[in-house]
Amino acid sequence: MKKQITRRGFLKGAGLVLAMTATPAGVQLLNVSQSLAADQDFRPHAFIEIAPDDTFTVWVGQTELGQGTHTGIAMILADEVGADWDRVQVKMAPAGKAFLDPLYKMQFTGGSTSIRHRWDLFRQVGAAAREMLIQAAAQKWGVKPSECRAENGKVTGKGGKSLSFGQLAAKAATLPVPNKPRPKPARDYTIIGTKRDRLDIPGKVAGSTVFGYDFKLPGMLLATLARPPAYGAKPKSFNADAAKAVKGVVAVIPLGDKVAVCATDTWAAMAGREALDIKWSPGTLPELDNANLDKWYQDYLAKPGVVAHKTGDAPAALGKAAKKLKAAYKFPYLAHATLEPMNCTALVEKDRCRIWAPTQGQTPAQMAGAKVTKLPMDKIEVMTLYAGGGFGRRVEFDVVVEAVLLSKITKRPVKVVWAREDDFKNDFYRPGAACSVEGGLDAKGNLVSWVHKIATPSIMSRLMPQAVKKGVDHTSVEGVDNMDYVLPNRLVEFMMVKLPIPVGFWRSVGNSFNPFVVECFLDELAAAAGKDPLEFRLNLLKKGSRARDTLEFLAQKANWGSPVPAGRGRGLAVRSCFGSSAGHVAEVSVDPKSGTVKVHKLVCVIDCGIAVFPDAVKTQMQGGAIMALSAAFKERVEFAGGGVQTANYDDYPLLSMAEVPEIEVHIAKSRHKVGGVGELPIPTVAPAVANAIFDACGVRLRELPFDTGKLKKG
Amino acid sequence: MLTLKVNGKTHKVDASKETPLLWVLRDQLGFTGVKYGCGIGECGTCTVLIDGKAERSCTITADSVQGQEIVTIEGLPADHPVKQAWISEQVPQCGYCQPGMILQAVDVLTSQPGASKGDMAQAMDDVICRCGTHPRVLSAMELAAGKMKGSGGAS
Ligand code: FES
Ligand code: FES
């Protein structure tokens, strides 16, 4: 069994397998073809495997969440080696040290880092394989390597000599790994930056892709858990017999403040849970509801905060300003609402623990497994499955703990499945926030002061307390403390909201709300200064800065300054984050009778450095814009009775097909390094729309989701 | 014992009468292309074709569709114009909603052969996709519609 799982798909012998291994000195590239052939007890995490039949396999440690990263990574490696794209396949590797993020030393998929942090690494692995294949051919032919080329899955030499990678793999496997492999210059790319079909799409269209929810082991139990309806609530009583009376229910297991129902099939586990008829104690904060939450946020906002950023003397400059503006903003808690609910399968044995999960956080899952089983980390094997969306939710390991615990108790493989209601009620939400900002203009309309307050809970306090420095969680204030604009006087204060509502990473994190305040307030200031929003921003951005280049590119693509069609308004916003820069121009109209806003068109631009896989960049920009519009117009988690009231999609509607506007995406030709993509479409959609709404009807909406009722005239 | 006809084959399953078709298909018959998303008929990811009509398998009992033709994503031929269009337009992102999207699109394109893009958007308005594949769903549907017209309709 062990062999089957760890070596799944490795072709023994005869092939070239290049692996990375982590050493104290860093990551080291290894030729492990020999050890595999000798079947030694060695578990490499191969990046590239070239088989005698010319199959070119790329092993990845990053999770495919829908963003296309599996194909993108394969494109980089295939291009660097000179592979024939038609022979390339990608496989998800078991979690391992080789796949740790080179910067963060953890294996996870998030923060738009999959390619951004590994660009050099991938290219070096590819270049090493290429040089080894060339060397093998050169030795066979008795020529110099410099006379040979690797392309389209072959090495060719003078006089029509040609051998396929598969034919060379055995020989290449006996060669040492070059010390300093030399990646190709960009002008030689033939796969990077081109249109390719995604490698995961055929299975997804056929219906054969195995997502976490679909995974099965022989003898596996299906488990659901009844969870507290309010924060801090505990089960006072439950009817285990009634649950066990449901056909298929095998066991009812109290698990702290939860009660698990294990069954032979999913429906029985769900029906058994219903039958438990649990009585809960009231939670620790029964007064938590929408109205109180709003009030508590306002109280926090009124308190003095911790300084998160200070340039010049903003309060003094504000005092001297010729014109002053003030505005307040509110943001709701948001759910990730991934279409595949949380789930995890685990099998705990005496000396090892295996976890199969659609996880974005392999290292956190391993750590959770180790903690529950008390086994060492290297005895925790994590197999990553396809995930039905992630958006940050799946870096958490709550469901992993549940599955490992239940397998440990039942001594059987257990798959914990969450119902949609579990998912909405037990999320690590995008934190709600209340913000206020004051700005001052001098007599010429120059922006001379910016005083900004942010009241929001801290994500890092729970996940990585050491990242909270001097009381400031950077993820809470990002977008304001590091805004793209250069201002002479700027003060940013942070009030850390403390509530039992758990908060976590949600696509673009703090950048999902802070840039809304910045971009909308800038628009207000521009209007007060009598300046065009584009011109006003350009004056605040350094020449040659990425944000400025992006803004200019955006203005050009959206034809900013051209007449807006009658009855419509136009708005823009820009933001650099996650190693890239993006912006949006929205065109909207507002129906004065109903207040209904129609978004007619969204122009999106992104500068992500080299766009490795342009079609995936495009779909991320499109899909992300839809998610951001959905959040702007519709999404809000509701609270009542000390817990979450939102239960299912009928309480939390998403933007629907007929509401999706025309979305145009432009990718900048960039001189910058490879940057992130997945987070970039989010930050600037809502402010661009809000600014367009103001342009159309003169009303500022400063709360999300938009209350379009405020736009009604008369 | 229930008798279900799925993807052209007859299956006998031991399930209680009130079990939703979704769980019988997934857990008992292994058609895991049929996905669970909400369990209340809101999202459409559990969609199957029943006698050619797109239905949400989470809200109908297996018992109620005995004797009818059930088609899951696995049973829709690989060369079906909708599946082909989905690949050429590169529609799926995470892919979780896609079986439902595809099967509902098959129903829409079969029952409304002359549908405009706007009609298609309306007809697909109740299927949830968190990844935002909406624009490509519509372009794939337009592509498939053209092919289905050319071949005199298919399904
Ligand atoms: S699972 Fe059936 S409609 Fe959502
Ligand atoms: S493709 Fe992910 S939910 Fe639709």
Side-chain angles (χ1 to χ4, degrees):
Chain A
M1 192 72 178
K2 179 173 178 181
K3 193 162 148 194
Q4 185 198 332
I5 282 167
T6 57
R7 301 260 171 81
R8 191 175 30 175
F10 279 119
L11 289 157
K12 244 195 291 162
L16 171 64
V17 184
L18 282 189
M20 306 293 296
T21 186
T23 68
V27 182
Q28 200 193 337
L29 186 58
L30 297 175
N31 177 353
V32 294
S33 321
Q34 303 295 314
S35 38
L36 267 188
D39 199 17
Q40 290 164 6
D41 189 20
F42 182 63
R43 288 166 48 196
H45 295 281
F47 275 107
I48 299 180
E49 187 186 358
I50 299 167
D53 72 350
D54 285 327
T55 312
F56 187 101
T57 307
V58 176
W59 290 84
V60 292
Q62 298 305 108
T63 311
E64 181 55 64
L65 304 154
Q67 78 283 46
T69 202
H70 277 193
T71 307
I73 291 170
M75 284 170 73
I76 300 170
L77 284 161
D79 198 339
E80 198 55 65
V81 185
D84 172 3
W85 182 249
D86 292 339
R87 307 309 305 266
V88 174
Q89 57 170 357
V90 67
K91 288 192 179 174
M92 186 74 215
K97 289 206 175 112
F99 298 108
L100 301 187
D101 182 284
L103 262 63
Y104 298 146
K105 310 291 177 214
M106 299 229 307
Q107 187 181 350
F108 70 98
T109 302
S112 299
T113 57
S114 295
I115 290 179
R116 175 159 68 106
H117 287 181
R118 294 175 177 81
W119 170 245
D120 292 332
L121 191 69
F122 289 146
R123 284 159 62 240
Q124 274 179 15
V125 176
R130 170 169 37 78
E131 289 177 14
M132 290 164 78
L133 290 160
I134 285 178
Q135 183 73 36
Q139 286 183 8
K140 281 197 182 208
W141 296 328
V143 300
K144 285 201 210 103
S146 58
E147 291 170 21
C148 307
R149 295 168 60 83
E151 54 197 1
N152 276 322
K154 292 190 208 61
V155 178
T156 54
K158 280 191 187 139
K161 285 200 272 298
S162 168
L163 285 168
S164 78
F165 286 180
Q167 289 170 316
L168 290 166
K171 172 102 178 132
T174 64
L175 300 174
V177 177
N179 273 340
K180 281 208 175 93
R182 278 215 308 241
K184 283 180 175 180
R187 62 172 183 276
D188 289 349
Y189 293 156
T190 57
I191 298 175
I192 292 168
T194 64
K195 175 136 175 52
R196 299 285 154 170
D197 280 359
R198 269 171 61 159
L199 299 168
D200 57 331
I201 281 184
K204 287 176 175 176
V205 169
S208 59
T209 299
V210 177
F211 292 86
Y213 229 88
D214 307 329
F215 184 72
K216 253 192 199 114
L217 288 174
M220 175 178 87
L221 291 174
L222 276 298
T224 56
L225 287 90
R227 297 181 174 76
Y231 294 112
K234 298 210 159 56
K236 288 198 301 191
S237 70
F238 58 90
N239 190 344
D241 292 338
K244 282 188 211 153
V246 173
K247 191 171 166 241
V249 172
V250 173
V252 172
I253 302 170
L255 223 53
D257 60 354
K258 303 170 199 162
V259 181
V261 176
C262 300
T264 50
D265 65 281
T266 316
W267 179 244
M270 288 184 175
R273 181 171 70 166
E274 282 301 308
L276 281 174
D277 190 25
I278 307 192
K279 303 284 180 287
W280 299 92
S281 70
T284 43
L285 191 60
E287 58 278 26
L288 171 65
D289 61 20
N290 294 333
N292 275 332
L293 192 60
D294 187 47
K295 188 181 155 300
W296 296 334
Y297 266 87
Q298 295 311 316
D299 292 347
Y300 270 108
L301 196 58
K303 285 182 195 165
V306 182
V307 174
H309 175 92
K310 191 170 182 263
T311 312
D313 188 343
L318 193 63
K320 283 186 261 166
K323 211 181 222 179
K324 279 179 241 177
L325 256 64
K326 187 170 180 175
Y329 298 82
K330 285 190 213 172
F331 303 93
Y333 285 78
L334 294 178
H336 294 82
T338 62
L339 211 47
E340 179 196 18
M342 296 306 111
N343 63 85
C344 176
T345 305
L347 176 53
V348 180
E349 291 160 297
K350 202 170 128 271
D351 55 1
R352 69 167 166 163
C353 163
R354 280 176 286 169
I355 296 164
W356 293 263
T359 179
Q360 289 180 261
Q362 286 78 11
T363 304
Q366 272 181 311
M367 288 163 69
K371 198 164 168 202
V372 174
T373 59
K374 309 213 165 53
L375 289 166
M377 278 285 277
D378 64 344
K379 298 291 180 212
I380 315 293
E381 299 171 27
V382 175
M383 276 60 69
T384 306
L385 301 169
Y386 278 102
F391 317 114
R393 175 62 179 88
R394 295 185 208 271
V395 294
E396 304 287 351
F397 48 84
D398 47 342
V399 66
V400 176
V401 172
E402 292 174 354
V404 173
L405 264 173
L406 286 171
S407 173
K408 193 177 154 198
I409 295 168
T410 60
K411 303 195 165 46
R412 286 174 70 169
V414 175
K415 176 162 74 178
V416 169
V417 289
W418 284 29
R420 174 58 54 200
E421 290 79 4
D422 297 303
D423 215 88
F424 270 117
K425 289 180 179 288
N426 298 277
D427 203 345
F428 294 86
Y429 305 92
R430 196 293 299 273
C435 309
S436 72
V437 56
E438 288 176 87
L441 298 167
D442 68 12
K444 289 194 211 122
N446 296 311
L447 180 52
V448 291
S449 177
W450 185 285
V451 179
H452 197 129
K453 291 180 165 189
I454 305 167
T456 191
S458 158
I459 297 169
M460 287 304 192
S461 301
R462 173 179 62 88
L463 285 177
M464 227 191 267
Q466 69 276 20
V468 180
K469 301 249 158 70
K470 294 193 181 142
V472 179
D473 178 344
H474 170 66
T475 69
S476 308
V477 297
E478 61 184 351
V480 187
D481 68 334
N482 60 359
M483 66 165 74
D484 294 305
Y485 304 98
V486 183
L487 309 181
N489 300 292
R490 176 160 56 108
L491 179 65
V492 183
E493 282 184 43
F494 169 52
M495 294 78 168
M496 195 188 287
V497 171
K498 289 184 181 150
L499 287 170
I501 307 166
V503 293
F505 299 130
W506 188 98
R507 198 172 187 177
S508 84
V509 197
N511 282 295
S512 68
F513 61 93
N514 282 321
F516 183 85
V517 178
V518 172
E519 290 298 311
C520 290
F521 195 60
L522 271 177
D523 235 63
E524 299 203 27
L525 288 162
K531 289 186 185 159
D532 174 78
L534 171 68
E535 180 204 331
F536 191 73
R537 283 174 174 79
L538 287 174
N539 280 332
L540 300 171
L541 291 167
K542 261 211 225 94
K543 280 228 166 64
S545 70
R546 203 164 184 180
R548 187 183 168 116
D549 290 351
T550 305
L551 187 56
E552 283 175 335
F553 181 57
L554 173 65
Q556 177 210 330
K557 287 298 171 191
N559 227 343
W560 187 265
S562 67
V564 183
R568 294 192 186 176
R570 205 182 266 158
L572 60 70
V574 69
R575 169 74 183 141
S576 306
C577 48
F578 301 94
S580 294
S581 190
H584 288 91
V585 166
E587 209 170 279
V588 310
S589 62
V590 180
D591 174 12
K593 270 206 225 85
S594 62
T596 307
V597 175
K598 182 167 171 55
V599 180
H600 296 272
K601 189 174 170 184
L602 210 50
V603 179
C604 323
V605 302
I606 180 168
D607 168 0
C608 55
I610 297 168
V612 169
F613 185 10
D615 197 51
V617 175
K618 194 170 168 196
T619 53
Q620 281 297 291
M621 291 304 287
Q622 268 182 351
I626 292 166
M627 188 169 177
L629 282 174
S630 186
F633 281 98
K634 306 197 148 193
E635 297 179 26
R636 173 203 293 278
V637 175
E638 309 278 353
F639 297 88
V644 175
Q645 192 179 30
T646 305
N648 208 318
Y649 286 118
D650 53 345
D651 305 322
Y652 195 93
L654 305 181
L655 201 76
S656 70
M657 192 72 81
E659 295 168 320
V660 171
E662 181 193 346
I663 302 172
E664 213 178 272
V665 178
H666 303 277
I667 303 172
K669 274 213 178 63
S670 175
R671 59 192 156 82
H672 298 281
K673 280 191 9 193
V674 168
V677 175
E679 327 275 335
L680 271 293
I682 301 292
T684 46
V685 170
V689 171
N691 292 337
I693 290 171
F694 172 77
D695 190 44
C697 70
V699 180
R700 295 280 178 195
L701 294 181
R702 302 189 187 96
E703 184 176 350
L704 294 182
F706 295 133
D707 176 2
T708 52
K710 288 191 179 149
L711 306 177
K712 265 189 246 178
K713 290 269 157 76
Chain B
M1 272 296 177
L2 306 178
T3 308
L4 293 178
K5 202 164 169 210
V6 187
N7 300 335
K9 269 204 199 141
T10 304
H11 301 265
K12 292 232 180 280
V13 285
D14 178 17
S16 67
K17 289 203 157 180
E18 59 285 5
T19 311
L21 176 62
L22 167 67
W23 299 112
V24 173
L25 290 172
R26 282 181 57 83
D27 283 0
Q28 252 131 323
L29 300 177
F31 294 108
T32 50
V34 190
K35 304 294 185 208
Y36 164 80
C38 70
I40 58 165
E42 275 290 318
C43 72
T45 187
C46 65
T47 298
V48 296
L49 295 177
I50 296 177
D51 289 343
K53 296 301 298 170
E55 303 276 1
R56 301 190 164 184
S57 65
C58 67
T59 50
I60 41 178
T61 62
D63 176 44
S64 67
V65 292
Q66 294 198 69
Q68 289 175 272
E69 293 278 350
I70 302 164
V71 175
T72 72
I73 190 72
E74 293 94 337
L76 190 72
D79 62 356
H80 189 284
V82 172
K83 275 194 171 173
Q84 299 267 302
W86 243 250
I87 290 176
S88 51
E89 291 298 300
Q90 293 283 291
V91 179
Q93 289 187 33
C94 84
Y96 198 79
C97 71
Q98 299 294 324
M101 283 278 185
I102 291 172
L103 292 172
Q104 182 151 330
V106 169
D107 179 2
V108 170
L109 295 176
T110 314
S111 56
Q112 307 177 38
S116 67
K117 197 169 180 176
D119 297 335
M120 291 177 195
Q122 285 302 335
M124 298 297 287
D125 198 48
D126 58 351
V127 189
I128 290 179
C129 173
R130 186 49 151 171
C131 298
T133 61
H134 311 69
R136 288 195 171 187
V137 165
L138 292 182
S139 51
M141 283 178 76
E142 284 188 298
L143 182 66
K147 294 230 176 89
M148 285 165 79
K149 213 192 285 157
S151 69
S155 158

